[in-house]
Amino acid sequence: MIFTLIDIALLTFMGATAFAILRLRSLFAVVMLSGIYSLLAASMFVALDAVDVAFTEAAVGAGISTVLMIAVLALTGEREKTPAHTPLLPLLVVILTGAALVYGTFDMPAFGDANAPVHLHVAPRYLHDSFAEVGLPNVVTSVLASYRGYDTLGEVTVIFTAGVAVMLLLGGRKGDDAGIKQQPVDEDGDDRRADSKDLDGSGGAA
Amino acid sequence: MLQAILDHFNYWIAIFLMMIGFYTVVARGNLVKKLVGLNIFQTSVFLLYISMGKVIGGTAPILDDRFQIYSNPIPHVLILTAIVVGVATTALGLGLIVRIRESYGTIEEDELDLADGET
Amino acid sequence: MRHHRVLRIVSKLLIPFIVLFALYVQFHGDFGPGGGFQAGVIFASAFILYGLIFGLENARKVAPPAVVTRLVAAGVLIFAGTGYAGLFGGGNFLDYGALRADPVAGQHLGIMVIEFGVGTTVAATMITIFFLFAGRER
């Protein structure tokens, strides 16, 4: 009973926050609300027994994402303009898609049902045998690092690739696009900029 | 009736959040706002997965002699890595936005279309 | 932020504990919630806090970009290298059981090493991305 109340309250808060994000035009407020939204999502994940996921969401969504977005707002400005075209067609598409998805949920097993198909296949084996095979009490770590280690290697490679891509996009000096030949070749790959500023200049954002 | 609603409430909220994210991506012109919308969309998928992994009366999948019922650990593993990959790709998107702003002087979709039409 | 005395002192007090917590999450992830992904992000957040409060210039001295950039690749190499170590030990790729005579001890060692690799890549990537965004001139 208490679980149901917490579940409904947190989900309602998440819905309200998301709606506020959609409506607001001040991007600074939007970014702050998206941090709150992530924190609510993390609380929701704790309630749903996914403590590792909640931990990650709290550190990543409410922490790093917000800092990065604010850093970008300091570079791009924090006011959203009203779009010129009418939102009727997007609204129609969204409502139709949502209705189709809601129709799809009627075939899904009830929330929290222990006999749902997802719980009957691979998961019992992990829960039952992983302690004897891997020797760790945290099943999530066992599955992440050992049973699905190949998968995790792929994920780490994706993070590596994204990091390299950001380095390629922002590593050079501003205004170097015109002449690639003028790009200073830096063997360390870092950006030694004489006048690198700190975040003092980011105004009220930080 | 009430039970039927409670059985699907998590899924419906996940869909509602997903549609809000979808609408933000499609209908809003500001690129930063679109990225926030994409994040909402992403979190709704996380919520859907984790909701499906929940077992009523279960506990977090950290083995202990005192518990017999655990929630399903597989969605947790999938979503755990997806969150970190998500922030890495968000950073990539933000990097692109910064470069677009430097090249075009704006991050509003309408103005970008105009600028592309003129050149 | 240089002039905010409260922020400076509080963050100076907090940063060692953030790093300590990151290391706890990293190496205790086998037994409780946590692991390389979370620890990497928390570790990076300590450096980001330092950069926000004391300026990017000082943060670059603490975590030189040349070193951090190399760590991004080092983590992936540690992970893949552990996979190959299993291969040379007579098992399959990423088969940690082959790392030691006792398969469970091998699993434990393998998971410890690859979680360290994951943490290194995640932390270094986040720090690098923060440096790049914060160092960009308007």
Side-chain angles (χ1 to χ4, degrees), chain C residues 82-118:
Chain C
T82 316
Y84 281 109
L87 211 57
F88 290 127
N92 294 321
F93 187 68
L94 286 172
D95 182 359
Y96 316 127
L99 294 175
R100 288 271 183 86
D102 175 20
V104 173
Q107 289 281 355
H108 213 105
L109 177 71
I111 288 175
M112 192 76 110
V113 175
I114 69 129
E115 289 276 14
F116 182 70
V118 171

PDB file of all heavy atoms in Angstrom, chain C residues 82-118:
ATOM      1  N   THR C  82      42.178  -7.376 -20.271  1.00  0.00           N
ATOM      2  CA  THR C  82      41.720  -8.445 -19.377  1.00  0.00           C
ATOM      3  C   THR C  82      41.078  -9.562 -20.189  1.00  0.00           C
ATOM      4  O   THR C  82      41.267 -10.752 -19.892  1.00  0.00           O
ATOM      5  CB  THR C  82      40.700  -7.894 -18.368  1.00  0.00           C
ATOM      6  OG1 THR C  82      41.187  -6.652 -17.868  1.00  0.00           O
ATOM      7  CG2 THR C  82      40.506  -8.836 -17.221  1.00  0.00           C
ATOM      8  N   GLY C  83      40.341  -9.166 -21.236  1.00  0.00           N
ATOM      9  CA  GLY C  83      39.747 -10.172 -22.110  1.00  0.00           C
ATOM     10  C   GLY C  83      40.816 -11.047 -22.742  1.00  0.00           C
ATOM     11  O   GLY C  83      40.713 -12.277 -22.739  1.00  0.00           O
ATOM     12  N   TYR C  84      41.872 -10.414 -23.244  1.00  0.00           N
ATOM     13  CA  TYR C  84      42.938 -11.186 -23.883  1.00  0.00           C
ATOM     14  C   TYR C  84      43.707 -12.032 -22.871  1.00  0.00           C
ATOM     15  O   TYR C  84      44.168 -13.128 -23.183  1.00  0.00           O
ATOM     16  CB  TYR C  84      43.890 -10.260 -24.631  1.00  0.00           C
ATOM     17  CG  TYR C  84      43.325  -9.832 -25.960  1.00  0.00           C
ATOM     18  CD1 TYR C  84      42.901  -8.529 -26.171  1.00  0.00           C
ATOM     19  CD2 TYR C  84      43.191 -10.749 -26.993  1.00  0.00           C
ATOM     20  CE1 TYR C  84      42.351  -8.143 -27.377  1.00  0.00           C
ATOM     21  CE2 TYR C  84      42.647 -10.377 -28.207  1.00  0.00           C
ATOM     22  CZ  TYR C  84      42.234  -9.073 -28.396  1.00  0.00           C
ATOM     23  OH  TYR C  84      41.682  -8.711 -29.581  1.00  0.00           O
ATOM     24  N   ALA C  85      43.827 -11.506 -21.612  1.00  0.00           N
ATOM     25  CA  ALA C  85      44.504 -12.287 -20.572  1.00  0.00           C
ATOM     26  C   ALA C  85      43.761 -13.605 -20.362  1.00  0.00           C
ATOM     27  O   ALA C  85      44.386 -14.664 -20.209  1.00  0.00           O
ATOM     28  CB  ALA C  85      44.577 -11.483 -19.277  1.00  0.00           C
ATOM     29  N   GLY C  86      42.405 -13.548 -20.386  1.00  0.00           N
ATOM     30  CA  GLY C  86      41.632 -14.774 -20.278  1.00  0.00           C
ATOM     31  C   GLY C  86      41.901 -15.711 -21.445  1.00  0.00           C
ATOM     32  O   GLY C  86      42.006 -16.924 -21.283  1.00  0.00           O
ATOM     33  N   LEU C  87      42.073 -15.085 -22.621  1.00  0.00           N
ATOM     34  CA  LEU C  87      42.354 -15.879 -23.829  1.00  0.00           C
ATOM     35  C   LEU C  87      43.689 -16.609 -23.688  1.00  0.00           C
ATOM     36  O   LEU C  87      43.802 -17.804 -23.979  1.00  0.00           O
ATOM     37  CB  LEU C  87      42.401 -14.925 -25.019  1.00  0.00           C
ATOM     38  CG  LEU C  87      41.979 -15.422 -26.387  1.00  0.00           C
ATOM     39  CD1 LEU C  87      40.564 -15.945 -26.342  1.00  0.00           C
ATOM     40  CD2 LEU C  87      42.078 -14.283 -27.383  1.00  0.00           C
ATOM     41  N   PHE C  88      44.707 -15.900 -23.179  1.00  0.00           N
ATOM     42  CA  PHE C  88      46.025 -16.525 -23.023  1.00  0.00           C
ATOM     43  C   PHE C  88      46.041 -17.530 -21.880  1.00  0.00           C
ATOM     44  O   PHE C  88      46.861 -18.443 -21.865  1.00  0.00           O
ATOM     45  CB  PHE C  88      47.100 -15.449 -22.789  1.00  0.00           C
ATOM     46  CG  PHE C  88      47.374 -14.630 -24.010  1.00  0.00           C
ATOM     47  CD1 PHE C  88      47.321 -13.247 -23.970  1.00  0.00           C
ATOM     48  CD2 PHE C  88      47.687 -15.244 -25.219  1.00  0.00           C
ATOM     49  CE1 PHE C  88      47.559 -12.491 -25.108  1.00  0.00           C
ATOM     50  CE2 PHE C  88      47.930 -14.492 -26.353  1.00  0.00           C
ATOM     51  CZ  PHE C  88      47.863 -13.119 -26.299  1.00  0.00           C
ATOM     52  N   GLY C  89      45.120 -17.329 -20.902  1.00  0.00           N
ATOM     53  CA  GLY C  89      45.044 -18.285 -19.794  1.00  0.00           C
ATOM     54  C   GLY C  89      44.363 -19.590 -20.182  1.00  0.00           C
ATOM     55  O   GLY C  89      44.209 -20.461 -19.338  1.00  0.00           O
ATOM     56  N   GLY C  90      43.920 -19.707 -21.414  1.00  0.00           N
ATOM     57  CA  GLY C  90      43.332 -20.956 -21.869  1.00  0.00           C
ATOM     58  C   GLY C  90      41.828 -20.927 -21.932  1.00  0.00           C
ATOM     59  O   GLY C  90      41.205 -21.941 -22.250  1.00  0.00           O
ATOM     60  N   GLY C  91      41.195 -19.789 -21.598  1.00  0.00           N
ATOM     61  CA  GLY C  91      39.742 -19.699 -21.654  1.00  0.00           C
ATOM     62  C   GLY C  91      39.289 -18.953 -22.891  1.00  0.00           C
ATOM     63  O   GLY C  91      40.047 -18.817 -23.854  1.00  0.00           O
ATOM     64  N   ASN C  92      38.047 -18.477 -22.854  1.00  0.00           N
ATOM     65  CA  ASN C  92      37.521 -17.657 -23.941  1.00  0.00           C
ATOM     66  C   ASN C  92      37.842 -16.194 -23.676  1.00  0.00           C
ATOM     67  O   ASN C  92      38.336 -15.832 -22.597  1.00  0.00           O
ATOM     68  CB  ASN C  92      36.013 -17.826 -24.048  1.00  0.00           C
ATOM     69  CG  ASN C  92      35.654 -19.230 -24.475  1.00  0.00           C
ATOM     70  OD1 ASN C  92      36.329 -19.817 -25.310  1.00  0.00           O
ATOM     71  ND2 ASN C  92      34.621 -19.778 -23.869  1.00  0.00           N
ATOM     72  N   PHE C  93      37.527 -15.335 -24.672  1.00  0.00           N
ATOM     73  CA  PHE C  93      37.696 -13.899 -24.495  1.00  0.00           C
ATOM     74  C   PHE C  93      36.813 -13.442 -23.338  1.00  0.00           C
ATOM     75  O   PHE C  93      35.633 -13.801 -23.268  1.00  0.00           O
ATOM     76  CB  PHE C  93      37.309 -13.191 -25.792  1.00  0.00           C
ATOM     77  CG  PHE C  93      37.603 -11.718 -25.790  1.00  0.00           C
ATOM     78  CD1 PHE C  93      38.908 -11.267 -25.778  1.00  0.00           C
ATOM     79  CD2 PHE C  93      36.570 -10.803 -25.802  1.00  0.00           C
ATOM     80  CE1 PHE C  93      39.181  -9.912 -25.789  1.00  0.00           C
ATOM     81  CE2 PHE C  93      36.835  -9.456 -25.811  1.00  0.00           C
ATOM     82  CZ  PHE C  93      38.147  -9.005 -25.801  1.00  0.00           C
ATOM     83  N   LEU C  94      37.388 -12.657 -22.420  1.00  0.00           N
ATOM     84  CA  LEU C  94      36.694 -12.158 -21.222  1.00  0.00           C
ATOM     85  C   LEU C  94      36.258 -13.283 -20.286  1.00  0.00           C
ATOM     86  O   LEU C  94      35.338 -13.118 -19.514  1.00  0.00           O
ATOM     87  CB  LEU C  94      35.481 -11.299 -21.594  1.00  0.00           C
ATOM     88  CG  LEU C  94      35.771  -9.913 -22.134  1.00  0.00           C
ATOM     89  CD1 LEU C  94      34.498  -9.272 -22.642  1.00  0.00           C
ATOM     90  CD2 LEU C  94      36.386  -9.030 -21.076  1.00  0.00           C
ATOM     91  N   ASP C  95      36.915 -14.436 -20.355  1.00  0.00           N
ATOM     92  CA  ASP C  95      36.612 -15.519 -19.423  1.00  0.00           C
ATOM     93  C   ASP C  95      37.555 -15.387 -18.226  1.00  0.00           C
ATOM     94  O   ASP C  95      38.687 -15.849 -18.249  1.00  0.00           O
ATOM     95  CB  ASP C  95      36.808 -16.862 -20.137  1.00  0.00           C
ATOM     96  CG  ASP C  95      36.456 -18.030 -19.236  1.00  0.00           C
ATOM     97  OD1 ASP C  95      36.089 -17.774 -18.070  1.00  0.00           O
ATOM     98  OD2 ASP C  95      36.550 -19.172 -19.702  1.00  0.00           O
ATOM     99  N   TYR C  96      37.025 -14.713 -17.161  1.00  0.00           N
ATOM    100  CA  TYR C  96      37.916 -14.423 -16.030  1.00  0.00           C
ATOM    101  C   TYR C  96      38.266 -15.678 -15.253  1.00  0.00           C
ATOM    102  O   TYR C  96      39.219 -15.692 -14.501  1.00  0.00           O
ATOM    103  CB  TYR C  96      37.266 -13.426 -15.071  1.00  0.00           C
ATOM    104  CG  TYR C  96      36.584 -12.280 -15.739  1.00  0.00           C
ATOM    105  CD1 TYR C  96      35.272 -11.964 -15.454  1.00  0.00           C
ATOM    106  CD2 TYR C  96      37.277 -11.510 -16.665  1.00  0.00           C
ATOM    107  CE1 TYR C  96      34.650 -10.911 -16.066  1.00  0.00           C
ATOM    108  CE2 TYR C  96      36.644 -10.458 -17.289  1.00  0.00           C
ATOM    109  CZ  TYR C  96      35.332 -10.169 -16.988  1.00  0.00           C
ATOM    110  OH  TYR C  96      34.717  -9.133 -17.601  1.00  0.00           O
ATOM    111  N   GLY C  97      37.465 -16.740 -15.386  1.00  0.00           N
ATOM    112  CA  GLY C  97      37.737 -17.974 -14.658  1.00  0.00           C
ATOM    113  C   GLY C  97      39.114 -18.532 -14.966  1.00  0.00           C
ATOM    114  O   GLY C  97      39.700 -19.240 -14.148  1.00  0.00           O
ATOM    115  N   ALA C  98      39.647 -18.188 -16.159  1.00  0.00           N
ATOM    116  CA  ALA C  98      40.938 -18.721 -16.562  1.00  0.00           C
ATOM    117  C   ALA C  98      42.107 -17.921 -15.974  1.00  0.00           C
ATOM    118  O   ALA C  98      43.264 -18.298 -16.151  1.00  0.00           O
ATOM    119  CB  ALA C  98      41.043 -18.736 -18.085  1.00  0.00           C
ATOM    120  N   LEU C  99      41.808 -16.818 -15.276  1.00  0.00           N
ATOM    121  CA  LEU C  99      42.900 -15.973 -14.796  1.00  0.00           C
ATOM    122  C   LEU C  99      43.617 -16.586 -13.595  1.00  0.00           C
ATOM    123  O   LEU C  99      44.785 -16.325 -13.355  1.00  0.00           O
ATOM    124  CB  LEU C  99      42.369 -14.587 -14.406  1.00  0.00           C
ATOM    125  CG  LEU C  99      41.829 -13.737 -15.556  1.00  0.00           C
ATOM    126  CD1 LEU C  99      41.219 -12.463 -15.022  1.00  0.00           C
ATOM    127  CD2 LEU C  99      42.930 -13.407 -16.536  1.00  0.00           C
ATOM    128  N   ARG C 100      42.904 -17.357 -12.816  1.00  0.00           N
ATOM    129  CA  ARG C 100      43.474 -17.990 -11.628  1.00  0.00           C
ATOM    130  C   ARG C 100      43.166 -19.482 -11.683  1.00  0.00           C
ATOM    131  O   ARG C 100      42.329 -19.927 -12.472  1.00  0.00           O
ATOM    132  CB  ARG C 100      42.837 -17.410 -10.359  1.00  0.00           C
ATOM    133  CG  ARG C 100      43.262 -16.001 -10.015  1.00  0.00           C
ATOM    134  CD  ARG C 100      44.505 -16.033  -9.145  1.00  0.00           C
ATOM    135  NE  ARG C 100      44.914 -14.700  -8.727  1.00  0.00           N
ATOM    136  CZ  ARG C 100      44.430 -14.078  -7.659  1.00  0.00           C
ATOM    137  NH1 ARG C 100      43.517 -14.673  -6.928  1.00  0.00           N
ATOM    138  NH2 ARG C 100      44.864 -12.885  -7.335  1.00  0.00           N
ATOM    139  N   ALA C 101      43.830 -20.240 -10.815  1.00  0.00           N
ATOM    140  CA  ALA C 101      43.553 -21.682 -10.768  1.00  0.00           C
ATOM    141  C   ALA C 101      42.116 -21.933 -10.320  1.00  0.00           C
ATOM    142  O   ALA C 101      41.407 -22.768 -10.871  1.00  0.00           O
ATOM    143  CB  ALA C 101      44.538 -22.354  -9.817  1.00  0.00           C
ATOM    144  N   ASP C 102      41.670 -21.162  -9.306  1.00  0.00           N
ATOM    145  CA  ASP C 102      40.300 -21.288  -8.816  1.00  0.00           C
ATOM    146  C   ASP C 102      39.394 -20.358  -9.626  1.00  0.00           C
ATOM    147  O   ASP C 102      39.615 -19.143  -9.618  1.00  0.00           O
ATOM    148  CB  ASP C 102      40.277 -20.910  -7.330  1.00  0.00           C
ATOM    149  CG  ASP C 102      38.856 -20.900  -6.779  1.00  0.00           C
ATOM    150  OD1 ASP C 102      37.992 -21.538  -7.407  1.00  0.00           O
ATOM    151  OD2 ASP C 102      38.640 -20.251  -5.741  1.00  0.00           O
ATOM    152  N   PRO C 103      38.407 -20.891 -10.358  1.00  0.00           N
ATOM    153  CA  PRO C 103      37.603 -20.026 -11.239  1.00  0.00           C
ATOM    154  C   PRO C 103      36.926 -18.875 -10.504  1.00  0.00           C
ATOM    155  O   PRO C 103      36.868 -17.757 -11.024  1.00  0.00           O
ATOM    156  CB  PRO C 103      36.557 -20.988 -11.811  1.00  0.00           C
ATOM    157  CG  PRO C 103      37.125 -22.339 -11.653  1.00  0.00           C
ATOM    158  CD  PRO C 103      38.021 -22.296 -10.455  1.00  0.00           C
ATOM    159  N   VAL C 104      36.421 -19.122  -9.272  1.00  0.00           N
ATOM    160  CA  VAL C 104      35.709 -18.051  -8.573  1.00  0.00           C
ATOM    161  C   VAL C 104      36.681 -16.929  -8.198  1.00  0.00           C
ATOM    162  O   VAL C 104      36.375 -15.736  -8.343  1.00  0.00           O
ATOM    163  CB  VAL C 104      34.974 -18.617  -7.339  1.00  0.00           C
ATOM    164  CG1 VAL C 104      34.378 -17.496  -6.524  1.00  0.00           C
ATOM    165  CG2 VAL C 104      33.872 -19.564  -7.776  1.00  0.00           C
ATOM    166  N   ALA C 105      37.898 -17.310  -7.753  1.00  0.00           N
ATOM    167  CA  ALA C 105      38.908 -16.285  -7.454  1.00  0.00           C
ATOM    168  C   ALA C 105      39.271 -15.526  -8.724  1.00  0.00           C
ATOM    169  O   ALA C 105      39.466 -14.299  -8.706  1.00  0.00           O
ATOM    170  CB  ALA C 105      40.152 -16.926  -6.846  1.00  0.00           C
ATOM    171  N   GLY C 106      39.348 -16.252  -9.854  1.00  0.00           N
ATOM    172  CA  GLY C 106      39.634 -15.611 -11.134  1.00  0.00           C
ATOM    173  C   GLY C 106      38.542 -14.623 -11.507  1.00  0.00           C
ATOM    174  O   GLY C 106      38.824 -13.505 -11.950  1.00  0.00           O
ATOM    175  N   GLN C 107      37.279 -15.025 -11.306  1.00  0.00           N
ATOM    176  CA  GLN C 107      36.161 -14.118 -11.589  1.00  0.00           C
ATOM    177  C   GLN C 107      36.292 -12.848 -10.762  1.00  0.00           C
ATOM    178  O   GLN C 107      36.104 -11.736 -11.265  1.00  0.00           O
ATOM    179  CB  GLN C 107      34.833 -14.814 -11.229  1.00  0.00           C
ATOM    180  CG  GLN C 107      34.421 -15.936 -12.158  1.00  0.00           C
ATOM    181  CD  GLN C 107      33.799 -15.421 -13.435  1.00  0.00           C
ATOM    182  OE1 GLN C 107      33.591 -14.231 -13.598  1.00  0.00           O
ATOM    183  NE2 GLN C 107      33.539 -16.317 -14.369  1.00  0.00           N
ATOM    184  N   HIS C 108      36.629 -13.042  -9.487  1.00  0.00           N
ATOM    185  CA  HIS C 108      36.723 -11.891  -8.582  1.00  0.00           C
ATOM    186  C   HIS C 108      37.793 -10.915  -9.070  1.00  0.00           C
ATOM    187  O   HIS C 108      37.578  -9.714  -9.163  1.00  0.00           O
ATOM    188  CB  HIS C 108      37.058 -12.400  -7.184  1.00  0.00           C
ATOM    189  CG  HIS C 108      36.450 -11.592  -6.114  1.00  0.00           C
ATOM    190  ND1 HIS C 108      35.375 -11.999  -5.382  1.00  0.00           N
ATOM    191  CD2 HIS C 108      36.758 -10.352  -5.670  1.00  0.00           C
ATOM    192  CE1 HIS C 108      35.048 -11.067  -4.533  1.00  0.00           C
ATOM    193  NE2 HIS C 108      35.865 -10.052  -4.683  1.00  0.00           N
ATOM    194  N   LEU C 109      38.967 -11.474  -9.411  1.00  0.00           N
ATOM    195  CA  LEU C 109      40.071 -10.639  -9.903  1.00  0.00           C
ATOM    196  C   LEU C 109      39.674  -9.947 -11.201  1.00  0.00           C
ATOM    197  O   LEU C 109      39.857  -8.727 -11.354  1.00  0.00           O
ATOM    198  CB  LEU C 109      41.303 -11.520 -10.133  1.00  0.00           C
ATOM    199  CG  LEU C 109      42.522 -10.810 -10.718  1.00  0.00           C
ATOM    200  CD1 LEU C 109      43.135  -9.897  -9.665  1.00  0.00           C
ATOM    201  CD2 LEU C 109      43.552 -11.813 -11.203  1.00  0.00           C
ATOM    202  N   GLY C 110      39.101 -10.730 -12.136  1.00  0.00           N
ATOM    203  CA  GLY C 110      38.743 -10.163 -13.439  1.00  0.00           C
ATOM    204  C   GLY C 110      37.760  -9.022 -13.297  1.00  0.00           C
ATOM    205  O   GLY C 110      37.930  -7.954 -13.900  1.00  0.00           O
ATOM    206  N   ILE C 111      36.727  -9.214 -12.446  1.00  0.00           N
ATOM    207  CA  ILE C 111      35.712  -8.172 -12.292  1.00  0.00           C
ATOM    208  C   ILE C 111      36.323  -6.921 -11.674  1.00  0.00           C
ATOM    209  O   ILE C 111      36.051  -5.793 -12.096  1.00  0.00           O
ATOM    210  CB  ILE C 111      34.532  -8.718 -11.452  1.00  0.00           C
ATOM    211  CG1 ILE C 111      33.737  -9.711 -12.297  1.00  0.00           C
ATOM    212  CG2 ILE C 111      33.639  -7.596 -10.982  1.00  0.00           C
ATOM    213  CD1 ILE C 111      32.642 -10.404 -11.550  1.00  0.00           C
ATOM    214  N   MET C 112      37.205  -7.124 -10.686  1.00  0.00           N
ATOM    215  CA  MET C 112      37.889  -5.984 -10.060  1.00  0.00           C
ATOM    216  C   MET C 112      38.649  -5.171 -11.118  1.00  0.00           C
ATOM    217  O   MET C 112      38.551  -3.945 -11.164  1.00  0.00           O
ATOM    218  CB  MET C 112      38.870  -6.538  -9.014  1.00  0.00           C
ATOM    219  CG  MET C 112      39.432  -5.506  -8.093  1.00  0.00           C
ATOM    220  SD  MET C 112      38.203  -5.048  -6.894  1.00  0.00           S
ATOM    221  CE  MET C 112      38.892  -5.748  -5.432  1.00  0.00           C
ATOM    222  N   VAL C 113      39.396  -5.881 -11.993  1.00  0.00           N
ATOM    223  CA  VAL C 113      40.230  -5.190 -12.981  1.00  0.00           C
ATOM    224  C   VAL C 113      39.366  -4.479 -14.017  1.00  0.00           C
ATOM    225  O   VAL C 113      39.614  -3.308 -14.335  1.00  0.00           O
ATOM    226  CB  VAL C 113      41.202  -6.180 -13.662  1.00  0.00           C
ATOM    227  CG1 VAL C 113      41.975  -5.494 -14.766  1.00  0.00           C
ATOM    228  CG2 VAL C 113      42.151  -6.766 -12.639  1.00  0.00           C
ATOM    229  N   ILE C 114      38.336  -5.166 -14.527  1.00  0.00           N
ATOM    230  CA  ILE C 114      37.567  -4.499 -15.587  1.00  0.00           C
ATOM    231  C   ILE C 114      36.743  -3.340 -15.026  1.00  0.00           C
ATOM    232  O   ILE C 114      36.573  -2.327 -15.683  1.00  0.00           O
ATOM    233  CB  ILE C 114      36.682  -5.469 -16.404  1.00  0.00           C
ATOM    234  CG1 ILE C 114      35.552  -5.993 -15.557  1.00  0.00           C
ATOM    235  CG2 ILE C 114      37.452  -6.569 -17.081  1.00  0.00           C
ATOM    236  CD1 ILE C 114      34.251  -5.814 -16.257  1.00  0.00           C
ATOM    237  N   GLU C 115      36.273  -3.468 -13.775  1.00  0.00           N
ATOM    238  CA  GLU C 115      35.556  -2.333 -13.166  1.00  0.00           C
ATOM    239  C   GLU C 115      36.496  -1.147 -13.044  1.00  0.00           C
ATOM    240  O   GLU C 115      36.093   0.004 -13.227  1.00  0.00           O
ATOM    241  CB  GLU C 115      35.010  -2.712 -11.783  1.00  0.00           C
ATOM    242  CG  GLU C 115      33.838  -3.680 -11.813  1.00  0.00           C
ATOM    243  CD  GLU C 115      32.508  -2.992 -12.015  1.00  0.00           C
ATOM    244  OE1 GLU C 115      32.482  -1.815 -12.394  1.00  0.00           O
ATOM    245  OE2 GLU C 115      31.473  -3.664 -11.797  1.00  0.00           O
ATOM    246  N   PHE C 116      37.760  -1.422 -12.745  1.00  0.00           N
ATOM    247  CA  PHE C 116      38.746  -0.344 -12.684  1.00  0.00           C
ATOM    248  C   PHE C 116      38.907   0.297 -14.066  1.00  0.00           C
ATOM    249  O   PHE C 116      38.967   1.525 -14.197  1.00  0.00           O
ATOM    250  CB  PHE C 116      40.087  -0.888 -12.185  1.00  0.00           C
ATOM    251  CG  PHE C 116      41.145   0.157 -12.042  1.00  0.00           C
ATOM    252  CD1 PHE C 116      41.060   1.109 -11.051  1.00  0.00           C
ATOM    253  CD2 PHE C 116      42.206   0.201 -12.932  1.00  0.00           C
ATOM    254  CE1 PHE C 116      42.011   2.090 -10.931  1.00  0.00           C
ATOM    255  CE2 PHE C 116      43.170   1.181 -12.817  1.00  0.00           C
ATOM    256  CZ  PHE C 116      43.078   2.128 -11.816  1.00  0.00           C
ATOM    257  N   GLY C 117      38.952  -0.546 -15.095  1.00  0.00           N
ATOM    258  CA  GLY C 117      39.047  -0.009 -16.449  1.00  0.00           C
ATOM    259  C   GLY C 117      37.848   0.858 -16.801  1.00  0.00           C
ATOM    260  O   GLY C 117      37.992   1.960 -17.345  1.00  0.00           O
ATOM    261  N   VAL C 118      36.639   0.365 -16.460  1.00  0.00           N
ATOM    262  CA  VAL C 118      35.416   1.131 -16.733  1.00  0.00           C
ATOM    263  C   VAL C 118      35.479   2.477 -16.009  1.00  0.00           C
ATOM    264  O   VAL C 118      35.226   3.541 -16.598  1.00  0.00           O
ATOM    265  CB  VAL C 118      34.176   0.331 -16.288  1.00  0.00           C
ATOM    266  CG1 VAL C 118      32.940   1.205 -16.364  1.00  0.00           C
ATOM    267  CG2 VAL C 118      33.981  -0.897 -17.128  1.00  0.00           C
TER     268      VAL C 118
END
